[in-house]
Amino acid sequence: MHSVNRKLTAISPATGKVIAEIEETPLSQVSEIYEQARAVFPIWSDLSISERITYLKKLKEVMLKELENISAVISEGTGKVKTEALTADLMPTLDAIDHISRHAESVLKRKRVKTPLLLFGKKSYIEYFPRGVVLVISPWNYPFQLAMVPVISALASGNTVILKPSEVTPLVGKCIEDLFLKAGFPEGVVQVAHGGKELGAALTKEKPDYIFFTGSVRTGKIIQEQAAKDLIPTTLELGGKDPMIIFADANLERAAKGAVWAAFTNSGQVCMSAERVYVERPVFRKFVELVKKEVEALRHGTEEDDDIGSMTFPAQREIVREQLEEALAAGAIIETGKPPSEWDDGMFLPLTVVSNVHQSMKIIQEETFGPLLPIIPFDSEDEAVKLANDTKYGLNGSVWSRDLAKARRVASKLISGSVVINDVIINFVNHYLPFGGAKQSGIGRYHGEEGLKIFCHEKAVVENSGNRLSEVHWYPYKGKYPLYLNFFKSYFSEKRDWIGIMKSYLKLMKKSRD
Ligand code: NAD
């Protein structure tokens, strides 16, 4: 008798309606999935990089053909507007395929490096080889690109991949699985396992060769603990509480527009959302008024011309509610938006800007991941840096000033994986830059060269022609000690004593032949 598999229900957060049911991957299938991934690894890793890139290009072709369909699936499954599905989920994935297609060969090719004089007669190079089976676990806020970019990077580097997308957006996970099928990847090279945290935990325990995780700090710690048991290397891309620092000499209109977009795009469910804005006191009120004007012009909805979609995950709505209630009870003032007591039951939350906020409040210390923007005044450059660095997170942040020397100076002092000057979030889109967090925002980097190299072992090779009978440092040691003393004194002296070096080296060589 066949047991009936459980289903993941895909709900449209915007309408609350069930849109699909996706078959869950049973836990009993986990070892079989790994067996298949391990079985095809020798074949996939044996392909040349350009052969693997051919598959990625096919994937891009399929994506381009189905662009509208995929953006509709992402929008329906997350509640985000289609424009954002296209610009922030699909575009970064297409761009990553392009970037990897252009650069993977040069990043991962064998690299000759210098060999110091001490190793006279030898050559050195570095070689990159794939790790094996990579497990990618991804979240619901950008369910397409945060799954696809690590998956295609790991594939280009020669690994086979098991992807566990978020159970909150199962339709997007299914869409990804179908795209790889349509692109004709060999069976087992990419497998998508559909399920929740139990499945994620079971896949983590099965000892992949690398884990690439994007999600919350809480889950990141659980995964890291499990991975440590078998010393499995990981990349953890975790939460953020990104600050904006706005000086009085900034282009204030632009800063206000930037703050509103960075705080409310994807309904604030962005790891790099602007979650706290520090404004120099003389322009504080003016800035708040500019922000209010911008916010009040935005349109909620799911139509093509709308700006703000719905929240995606019902539990997240409650976190936003709790943080706002706590702040209001402690004296925060709503500049625009509504207190939770006036919210309706739906997933479209009012865009709320608050002032009279203190550094110790949860809306300043904890990740909100919702459409909530606290604005705080500051009085000096040092104070702004201190406040910006005063959370456990360090993902991204921005500094706004027309004085670029000052902006760069402040940017250098922020403890975070990325910083943007007079702009927001955008560094994520430049694949020449590494991406990742400081402090509890994560461990490791991807994108850029690192994005391919993390999925490889780095092998250091030294090559000797093998013609000489022996090496000076090999046995016997008899009579070599005083010669070494002279050799090192000549070699390491501030001004190298070349005659001393040659004399003692020749004597050492002779001793090796004796
Ligand atoms: P989450 O940690 O709840 O879940 C992420 C993934 O982990 C899901 O697929 C989930 O099923 C899986 N999971 C949960 N428990 C697990 C366990 N014990 N073992 C293995 N897998 C498990 O995060 P989320 O709510 O989906 O995503 C939101 C979080 O992700 C936010 O904190 C956000 O800041 C962060 N995020 C970070 C980045 C980044 O690049 N730094 C990007 C986007 C989102």
Side-chain angles (χ1 to χ4, degrees), residues 244-248 277-284 375-385 387 400 406 410:
M244 284 181 82
I245 298 176
I246 297 167
F247 286 100
V277 179
Y278 300 103
V279 184
E280 205 165 7
R281 199 175 297 274
V283 295
F284 178 79
I375 311 183
I376 300 182
F378 69 85
D379 290 301
S380 70
E381 190 177 313
D382 283 349
E383 188 196 7
V385 170
L387 292 170
W400 297 72
K406 175 166 71 179
V410 171

Side-chain angles (χ1 to χ4, degrees), residues 131 133-135 204 207-213 223-224 226-236 443 454-457:
R131 291 178 181 272
V133 178
V134 171
L135 172 63
T204 310
K207 303 185 190 165
D209 299 297
Y210 198 89
I211 301 173
F212 190 103
F213 171 77
I223 286 175
Q224 186 74 348
Q226 179 61 42
K229 290 183 184 152
D230 294 295
L231 293 181
I232 293 167
T234 61
T235 299
L236 304 178
I443 295 178
I454 54 169
F455 295 116
C456 293
H457 292 288

Side-chain angles (χ1 to χ4, degrees), residues 11-16 78-79 168 267 269 300 308-318 344-350 371:
I11 295 172
S12 152
T15 63
T78 57
V168 179
S267 279
Q269 304 163 116
H300 267 112
I308 311 278
S310 74
M311 296 288 285
T312 302
F313 187 33
Q316 200 61 44
R317 186 184 187 278
E318 292 316 303
D344 62 27
D345 291 336
M347 293 285 279
F348 289 89
L349 294 193

Side-chain angles (χ1 to χ4, degrees), residues 31 48 57 59 78 134 150 244 278 289 323 370 389 394 416 432:
S31 48
S48 66
K57 286 189 172 161
L59 176 72
T78 57
V134 171
M244 284 181 82
Y278 300 103
E289 294 308 320
Q323 289 192 11
N389 282 335
S416 67
Y432 289 97

Side-chain angles (χ1 to χ4, degrees), residues 295-425:
V295 173
E296 280 152 18
L298 295 176
R299 283 168 44 158
H300 267 112
T302 51
E303 298 304 317
E304 233 168 77
D305 288 340
D306 291 331
D307 302 299
I308 311 278
S310 74
M311 296 288 285
T312 302
F313 187 33
Q316 200 61 44
R317 186 184 187 278
E318 292 316 303
I319 294 171
V320 181
R321 170 200 291 278
E322 189 208 307
Q323 289 192 11
L324 182 54
E325 272 171 356
E326 189 221 55
L328 293 176
I333 295 167
I334 292 186
E335 297 284 349
T336 183
K338 285 181 187 165
S341 56
E342 292 175 25
W343 292 0
D344 62 27
D345 291 336
M347 293 285 279
F348 289 89
L349 294 193
L351 311 179
T352 302
V353 177
V354 288
S355 63
N356 203 30
V357 172
H358 308 291
Q359 192 68 12
S360 59
M361 289 175 176
K362 271 193 185 156
I363 48 168
I364 298 299
Q365 292 298 326
E366 302 291 328
E367 187 179 50
T368 308
F369 227 55
L372 200 53
L373 183 63
I375 311 183
I376 300 182
F378 69 85
D379 290 301
S380 70
E381 190 177 313
D382 283 349
E383 188 196 7
V385 170
K386 195 164 160 256
L387 292 170
N389 282 335
D390 173 36
T391 73
K392 65 184 177 211
Y393 297 100
L395 194 57
N396 203 346
S398 64
V399 184
W400 297 72
S401 169
R402 283 194 166 97
D403 175 351
L404 285 178
K406 175 166 71 179
R408 286 185 200 126
R409 184 168 68 232
V410 171
S412 297
K413 288 181 187 158
L414 296 185
I415 307 168
S416 67
S418 316
V419 184
V420 199
I421 292 174
N422 293 322
D423 210 324
V424 281
I425 300 183

